[in-house]
Every structure is written in C-alpha cells, then in structure tokens.
Amino acid sequence: MEAIFLSLFEKGLIHVYTGNGKGKTTSAMGLIVRCVGHEGKVAMVQFMKGWPFYGEIKGLSYLPGVELFRTGSDRCFKKGEHTEVDLREARRGLEIAERCLTDPKYDLVVLDEINVAVHFDLLKVSDVLNLISAKLASIEVVLTGRYAPKEIIEVADLVTEMVEIKHPYQKNVLARKGIEY
Ligand code: ATP
Ligand code: MG
C-alpha cells in the first residue's frame, strides 16, 4: 500500500540561524519540539558533530517523529586543518540532507552547523544552494551555524543573527553539560 503523507506546510520556507552568540542549534531544536507538537515529522542532520556526548542525541530520541543523523569526526580542528575523514563525513552529511529534503515524509529538516562546514571548506556554497533548490516545496528547512555565506542568506526567507553580548565563556566558565552540550 502506498504511504500517504499529510504535509504540515503548504509552502516550506528557508531559515538561517547564524552569528557568534549562543542559541543557534538550541533554537532549531526548539522549533523541532514545536513542530512535533503538531505531529510533524523531522530530520536533523548534524555536520562536524561526531563527538558523542551531546545531550540532544538522547534528548531528541525521546520525541516521536524525529530522526537525528550525525556526521563528522569527534575532534575539534581549526579552519584549514581538516582531513580526508572530515571531507568524507561532510559529503556523507550532504547526501543524507539531499535524501531528507526530497522525502515527502518530512515536514522540517534541520541542517545543523552546515554553515560552518562551508566556512571550513568541507562543502561548497554551491553544494548547499543546489541542495536547497532541490528541496520539496512542502519541507521547511533550517540551516544553522556561524559564518552563513551571503549567497545562502540571499535565498533564505528568514534569517536570524545571534549576537554575543555576554557569554560566561568570557568569565572562563567552561562548557557545561546540559547547557552547552
Ligand atoms: P547552542 O548549541 O548552545 O545553541 P550555538 O549553536 O549558537 O549554541 P555554536 O556556534 O554551534 O553555538 O557553538 C558551539 C558550542 O559553543 C556550543 O556548545 C555552544 O553552546 C557554545 N557557544 C555558543 N556561543 C558561544 C559564545 N559566544 N562563546 C562561547 N561558547 C559559545
Ligand atoms: Mg550550533
């Protein structure tokens, strides 16, 4: 029997959450919670996030209708210091994102840190523009991460820049479990 998908959105829009202040990824996760409350089906594809201790790995697993796809190695690295593994993982994320954005079962697809993957030269801006232009009309997509390129900002319908005014990091408070990860 053929599956029947009841889309939540007639016209899915493109969001970008960028900037150097805290709240980009967690804001996308807030949207996921809201969408799930209307029986929405969600995919979150994470780039450069192979580190296995993020709270959202288990947290999102409690939500029905949410699938999390994690890519990236588990180490931090500076721009220009990526390896073949980082490149391969980013390509894998791109392929997963393509599949999700063309699958009518999803209402919302979050591409977490995809902007950073572009900034770190793991993906090309054109890869992401092609990805977005191929998305199904019914899917809302969120691209998170610092350094969103202007080409992506141009095609987006909603762009929010998180601006750092204060962060406890400035007072040497280290990343805290349940808050930063
Ligand atoms: P969050 O995941 O908490 O919503 P984010 O997605 O806005 O943060 P990223 O740029 O992805 O932030 O940052 C990665 C990590 O650094 C996260 O653990 C995040 O909480 C933390 N962080 C975010 N903004 C700042 C900041 N201005 N100074 C120091 N650490 C930050
Ligand atoms: Mg983030």
Side-chain angles (χ1 to χ4, degrees):
M1 202 173 79
E2 217 174 287
I4 300 169
F5 301 111
L6 296 173
S7 300
L8 212 50
F9 311 116
E10 224 167 86
K11 178 155 176 31
L13 302 181
I14 302 164
H15 306 210
V16 173
Y17 306 157
T18 192
N20 64 354
K22 174 175 164 62
K24 301 171 291 291
T25 297
T26 47
S27 175
M29 291 194 284
L31 196 65
I32 290 175
V33 171
R34 179 172 284 170
C35 187
V36 165
H38 294 282
E39 323 298 337
K41 300 284 177 280
V42 181
M44 185 174 199
V45 186
Q46 295 190 306
F47 293 81
M48 301 172 69
K49 278 203 168 159
W51 193 63
F53 304 111
Y54 293 103
E56 60 261 36
I57 300 172
K58 200 170 187 180
L60 291 175
S61 77
Y62 296 139
L63 293 178
V66 179
E67 288 167 79
L68 176 62
F69 302 94
R70 301 173 50 244
T71 69
S73 63
D74 63 357
R75 58 181 196 97
C76 274
F77 58 92
K78 291 192 184 130
K79 183 173 161 72
E81 293 182 0
H82 60 261
T83 64
E84 271 304 309
V85 174
D86 300 311
L87 282 172
R88 212 168 43 234
E89 280 295 289
R91 304 285 331 159
R92 187 169 74 83
L94 191 70
E95 281 161 24
I96 297 169
E98 267 162 17
R99 278 204 297 279
C100 293
L101 286 167
T102 51
D103 186 336
K105 85 172 175 188
Y106 295 113
D107 298 290
L108 172 66
V109 174
V110 175
L111 307 175
D112 187 34
E113 313 303 349
I114 195 166
N115 299 331
V116 185
V118 172
H119 180 70
F120 274 52
D121 301 315
L122 303 181
L123 297 176
K124 295 198 286 269
V125 181
S126 57
D127 291 330
V128 180
L129 291 173
N130 290 340
L131 180 70
I132 297 172
S133 67
K135 90 168 181 68
L136 292 179
S138 58
I139 297 178
E140 192 98 356
V141 64
V142 179
L143 298 92
T144 86
R146 296 166 187 229
Y147 322 115
K150 60 179 186 325
E151 296 91 331
I152 294 178
I153 287 176
E154 257 161 41
V155 300
D157 301 288
L158 184 162
V159 180
T160 297
E161 181 177 14
M162 308 292 173
V163 177
E164 182 190 308
I165 293 177
K166 275 187 172 185
H167 192 288
Y169 182 75
Q170 297 162 348
K171 291 193 278 192
N172 297 322
V173 176
L174 298 178
R176 289 172 304 151
K177 194 196 288 191
I179 304 294
E180 265 81 45
Y181 67 92

